[in-house]
Amino acid sequence: ARRDELLPALHGVGFDVYPSSATYFVTVDAAPVARGVDGREFCQRMAREAGVVAIPNVVFYSDAHKAAGKSLVRFAFCKRAETIATACERLGRWKP
């Protein structure tokens, strides 16, 4: 249910959202929202500007420069319902 609450907010920002099941994360491609910015930089910017934190996928690679999908980030939805609602509200107001 929390994933399903988060998905429309992510689509609303303009992310390409990848389907997810059997996990606590949803992966998005930030490239449509922030061209030329890697996931790490994008996540830092989103935290500062929107107050929402995501995990850049490049942190899971030993060599981030060779990582595929440098613009991919993941959002955890294993949070309290109030936290998800707040994130959705903040994403809805944010203009990247």
Side-chain angles (χ1 to χ4, degrees):
R2 293 177 188 154
R3 178 198 63 202
D4 294 344
E5 181 180 354
L6 182 59
L7 291 179
L10 297 174
H11 283 290
V13 172
F15 294 119
D16 286 340
V17 180
Y18 295 97
S20 65
S21 60
T23 182
Y24 292 111
F25 302 95
V26 61
T27 298
V28 306
D29 190 346
V33 177
R35 299 224 182 266
V37 176
D38 73 8
R40 185 184 309 256
E41 183 179 339
F42 179 79
C43 286
Q44 291 171 346
R45 182 175 139 203
M46 185 174 57
R48 278 192 316 271
E49 295 175 6
V52 176
V53 177
I55 305 157
N57 285 18
V58 296
V59 301
F60 299 109
Y61 291 85
S62 59
D63 187 348
H65 298 291
K66 294 181 181 177
K70 292 178 185 176
S71 60
L72 299 180
V73 300
R74 62 192 227 170
F75 291 83
F77 53 84
C78 53
K79 307 288 181 182
R80 293 188 333 248
E82 302 84 31
T83 302
I84 297 295
T86 299
C88 290
E89 176 192 337
R90 290 176 180 181
L91 288 170
R93 290 191 319 250
W94 185 47
K95 303 298 179 219

